[in-house]
Amino acid sequence: MKKILFIFTGSLIALLAYAFSGNSTDKAPQVFCPPKDFVVNLNIPPEAYTDKNFDVSDDEELALLMFPPEYVAESIENYQPYLESTRTGRLRAPLHVNVRKSSHFNWHINPDHARALPHGPDLYTDTDEEEFGWRVSSFDGEQFHPWGRCSDDFNGSLSCFRDLKVGKLWLKYVVQAENIAYYPEIDAFLTEHVTAWRCDSKQ
Amino acid sequence: MTNSLAISPQERAYLAQEDLESFWYSRLQKKDPVARIGYAIWVKDVDDLKHAITTGDPVYWNQRGFAYWELMARSTVVNLAVGLQKGGFRGTVGETRQQIKRVGLRVADWHAQYVHNDYQDQIGQVPGLLSLKQMADYHHRAFQEFNIPPSYYGGTWFGSIPETIQFETYGHLYCHDCDSSEGYQGVRP
């Protein structure tokens, strides 16, 4: 039984790899060529597709990347690769990055209601404190720029989904409260890697 | 879908209280598809699971009965135990149960955050309803936090079907209303 499932799973991974390659029927050129060691293959079980209770997936995502926490900490001084929590114990803090062709940004915060987030430099929200999630913008001294979303992490702190534009690509990564202060360094780290992994930069 | 799939204040409270059974039961009432396995794993009284399935919408339960969902829940727990061990975790049965609960909390945390973002950003066709890919995505995040290899998600619904020997070793970790490890001699890999 396991062998059959292994074959099914292998076929699925091959299909996903084909899909992520950009080599679809529209003959679109492949734009993003990350090293396979950093690419996460989602093992969605084949039988799951018989279940019609789930929503449809969009086709905007090019890849899901994972940078091990130790690797990130080597490059970013003060990045905390492990997080301690009384609720869930010690957690690793890798950088998972969704690489997409578009973002879901469709909002701007109201400057009149903006208040600073305590965890990060120059980050502001206009969402009520009691809400589960808050839309967050950065402030460059003159105007606000959409930054991402943060929400309660059920442990007295927060975690954030950061949306970052690199060239024509949109990156979405999660950063926990302990590392939010270093988001400019994380942005630079990801920009450097993703730019180097453009297919045309390898030719 | 008659109910909003948004994460309610009550569901947030359940997560803060680490009450996974109530969280997933609340999601079950909203026909959140992930709640079927979530509730099957964390329900304390197995009769409650039977009742939910036999009185529920067969389409929502994917035309599968109690035996199927109970096996999926049992497989998931065994799979998690093996995955934790592969990731370096060592512990008694009580410690392993506690660690599985922590993984379950993180999976539920991520689920809530993904549902919230999906709802706010109107992703897909139904706001708050996740796709298979979104579900796989956040399970990978939660597994990575505990160093569980990514391969432990996939194969069946939530993990490759464990070997018979693994069922024998870890099968007792899945039990309803049991939080005592009295008399247990420890997990021997």
Side-chain angles (χ1 to χ4, degrees):
Chain A
M1 185 64 178
K2 283 199 77 173
K3 286 181 180 174
I4 294 172
L5 285 169
F6 183 76
I7 292 168
F8 274 140
T9 306
S11 302
L12 182 69
I13 290 170
L15 278 171
L16 285 172
Y18 180 79
F20 282 150
S21 74
N23 192 13
S24 57
T25 52
D26 62 5
K27 304 292 183 189
Q30 189 176 349
V31 296
F32 189 52
C33 298
K36 64 179 182 180
D37 288 350
F38 291 93
V39 176
V40 175
N41 289 308
L42 295 177
N43 301 327
I44 300 173
E47 72 176 88
Y49 289 98
T50 65
D51 190 334
K52 303 303 180 191
N53 287 282
F54 291 91
D55 207 342
V56 295
S57 297
D58 68 25
D59 59 358
E60 293 293 295
E61 186 156 312
L62 294 168
L64 173 60
L65 307 177
M66 197 281 285
F67 296 87
E70 299 83 2
Y71 180 84
V72 179
E74 281 177 12
S75 299
I76 301 176
E77 192 179 5
N78 296 325
Y79 183 88
Q80 295 188 38
Y82 306 103
L83 309 176
E84 296 294 338
S85 158
T86 53
R87 184 165 173 267
T88 51
R90 189 188 207 215
L91 299 176
R92 300 171 77 243
L95 277 179
H96 274 262
V97 185
N98 299 90
V99 182
R100 296 175 55 83
K101 292 185 279 186
S102 66
S103 83
H104 295 104
F105 273 141
N106 58 358
W107 48 263
H108 286 86
I109 68 169
N110 181 346
D112 294 336
H113 295 98
R115 66 175 193 283
L117 284 184
H119 300 81
D122 63 47
L123 295 179
Y124 294 80
T125 182
D126 64 349
T127 313
D128 287 343
E129 214 164 340
E130 304 76 42
E131 295 290 321
F132 176 31
W134 321 297
R135 51 191 190 180
V136 174
S137 286
S138 59
F139 186 64
D140 64 5
E142 293 186 0
Q143 56 184 329
F144 290 97
H145 304 278
W147 184 88
R149 288 187 186 279
C150 296
S151 58
D152 179 3
D153 73 349
F154 308 105
N155 197 40
S157 192
L158 78 166
S159 85
C160 299
F161 287 78
R162 160 73 166 134
D163 286 84
L164 170 68
K165 194 167 193 297
V166 178
K168 293 182 178 178
L169 301 176
W170 280 94
L171 313 183
K172 183 187 283 287
Y173 69 85
V174 171
V175 59
Q176 314 290 350
E178 293 86 338
N179 287 316
I180 289 176
Y182 315 118
Y183 89 81
E185 288 84 357
I186 298 172
D187 284 1
F189 168 87
L190 292 177
T191 299
E192 180 184 346
H193 280 75
V194 169
T195 302
W197 294 345
R198 277 179 10 206
C199 300
D200 56 8
S201 71
K202 296 186 175 183
Q203 293 170 353
Chain B
M1 299 287 169
T2 53
N3 296 321
S4 162
L5 280 159
I7 299 294
S8 68
Q10 182 63 65
E11 287 165 349
R12 289 166 57 193
Y14 289 143
L15 288 178
Q17 295 158 7
E18 305 180 14
D19 184 351
L20 289 172
E21 178 181 6
S22 296
F23 172 77
W24 287 117
Y25 184 71
S26 176
R27 301 303 299 171
L28 202 69
Q29 301 309 300
K30 299 177 177 181
K31 293 193 173 180
D32 181 334
V34 186
R36 296 167 302 185
I37 190 74
Y39 185 62
I41 291 172
W42 298 109
V43 65
K44 289 187 180 67
D45 187 340
V46 73
D47 286 336
D48 289 343
L49 176 62
K50 278 182 189 167
H51 181 75
I53 294 171
T54 55
T55 61
D57 179 357
V59 174
Y60 172 64
W61 289 98
N62 205 25
Q63 311 292 344
R64 307 279 193 165
F66 168 75
Y68 172 84
W69 290 105
E70 206 255 355
L71 174 64
M72 289 302 102
R74 189 179 295 271
S75 300
T76 303
V77 170
V78 174
N79 227 34
L80 279 175
V82 180
L84 282 168
Q85 192 175 40
K86 292 282 185 188
F89 177 80
R90 298 289 183 272
T92 65
V93 67
E95 290 164 343
T96 303
R97 274 205 190 107
Q98 183 60 33
Q99 193 71 347
I100 289 171
K101 173 79 180 285
R102 289 168 171 162
V103 177
L105 281 169
R106 285 305 288 162
V107 167
D109 291 351
W110 284 115
H111 182 75
Q113 293 187 22
Y114 268 58
V115 167
H116 177 77
N117 287 346
D118 189 276
Y119 197 86
Q120 293 295 319
D121 292 331
Q122 305 277 300
I123 298 170
Q125 293 183 340
V126 181
L129 183 66
L130 301 184
S131 67
L132 286 166
K133 190 186 161 306
Q134 286 172 300
M135 183 174 66
D137 189 320
Y138 77 68
H139 273 82
H140 275 280
R141 291 180 187 273
F143 283 19
Q144 274 294 317
E145 289 179 328
F146 293 91
N147 208 32
I148 298 172
S151 58
Y152 280 80
Y153 180 89
T156 69
W157 265 109
F158 284 86
S160 56
I161 291 179
E163 301 277 11
T164 305
I165 185 72
Q166 293 171 343
F167 259 122
E168 289 173 358
T169 308
Y170 298 104
H172 55 272
L173 288 168
Y174 175 79
C175 59
H176 297 278
D177 248 349
C178 66
D179 56 5
S180 167
S181 57
E182 188 177 357
Y184 182 71
Q185 300 301 310
V187 174
R188 294 186 170 82

